[in-house]
Amino acid sequence: MNGQGFRILGIAGSLRAHSYNRGLLRAAAELAPDDARIETFDLAPIPPYNADVEAQGDPEPVRELKSKIHAADALLIATPEYNYSIPGVLKNAIDWASRPPEGAVLRHKPVAMMGASTGNFGTARAQLALRQAFQFTKSFAMLEPEVYVFRARERFDAEGNLTDEDTRDRVRALLEALIIWTNKLKNG
Ligand SMILES: Cc1cc2nc3c(=O)[nH]c(=O)nc-3n(C[C@H](O)[C@H](O)[C@H](O)COP(=O)(O)O)c2cc1C
């Protein structure tokens, strides 16, 4: 594995302080190989997508999001599941970052995904919806390993820190696979 100076941008699809998915990203930052760095981007300041606003120029938080995606070697998304899909805040951020389609920062960007939910299917349906969005953006969403953290209450503490060792191992394996996947895409 060559993770020399590997930059990962982590994005959680939840705004709440003790979010399990924000906790998953914190765990990923702890578990990343020494030569990889995970920076997280908070979606709270991203306004609702509006083509009229976009036509006047991207708002500052959107510019920042796009520039961080551009600078990252790969993205790591931690998504909750809302009504069998991804939360609006995450979809909204993808919508902004997918524009304009020619030369969009999401195009050909390697992406890994994971997700925690309180339900029994651990965001399986949300991750399918996420893959569908990344098909349109032509992002390189990694196929596996799949990380579905089901019954999240049993795996995190009250502050949303990931305490379950098996899940921590899965997050570690996802990061290792993401570095290999990205290097393969870059170097063939
Ligand atoms: C609007 C809404 C819809 C939800 N829909 C689902 C769902 O379809 N499947 C599921 O497993 N959990 C669902 N949940 C429960 C979430 O999994 C739970 O709130 C989870 O903790 C959210 O992630 P977070 O901790 O990162 O904020 C829903 C929660 C909300 C607020």
Side-chain angles (χ1 to χ4, degrees):
M1 179 178 65
N2 173 17
Q4 195 65 44
F6 195 88
R7 287 160 304 171
I8 298 172
L9 185 68
I11 299 176
S14 173
L15 305 181
R16 72 187 188 96
H18 294 163
S19 152
Y20 298 127
N21 288 282
R22 289 162 73 111
L24 267 187
L25 279 187
R26 280 198 304 282
E30 288 162 24
L31 297 166
D34 286 344
D35 44 8
R37 196 168 66 85
I38 299 187
E39 181 189 355
T40 55
F41 188 91
D42 187 351
L43 295 182
I46 302 289
Y49 176 75
N50 179 333
D52 296 336
V53 173
E54 183 186 41
Q56 304 296 315
D58 285 343
E60 180 51 34
V62 172
R63 279 214 298 274
E64 199 188 341
L65 172 67
K66 286 185 177 179
S67 130
K68 292 200 169 197
I69 292 175
H70 178 71
D73 293 301
L75 302 184
L76 175 64
I77 311 283
T79 185
E81 181 166 290
Y82 281 4
N83 299 312
Y84 285 14
S85 189
I86 57 173
V89 288
L90 178 57
K91 181 60 165 54
N92 182 56
I94 291 171
D95 293 342
W96 276 113
S98 69
R99 307 269 312 155
E102 319 76 46
V105 288
L106 285 175
R107 184 171 288 213
H108 298 171
K109 184 65 65 176
V111 184
M113 59 185 76
M114 57 186 178
S117 80
T118 49
N120 283 329
F121 298 99
T123 74
R125 288 165 292 217
Q127 290 192 43
L128 285 175
L130 191 54
R131 280 186 189 285
Q132 197 171 321
F134 284 137
Q135 184 176 353
F136 187 80
T137 61
K138 300 183 183 6
S139 310
F140 291 141
M142 192 168 67
L143 294 171
E144 56 180 10
E146 296 165 289
V147 180
Y148 304 122
V149 185
F150 58 98
R151 293 204 295 271
R153 273 189 207 97
E154 299 171 12
R155 294 169 227 289
F156 292 80
D157 67 17
E159 278 76 47
N161 299 306
L162 179 63
T163 50
D164 181 66
E165 279 307 321
D166 177 61
T167 307
R168 292 178 74 85
D169 287 346
R170 287 171 196 273
V171 171
R172 196 182 285 114
L174 183 72
L175 292 170
E176 285 169 3
L178 178 60
I179 292 169
I180 292 167
W181 170 248
T182 304
N183 285 336
K184 257 190 203 152
L185 291 168
K186 273 188 184 156
N187 308 322

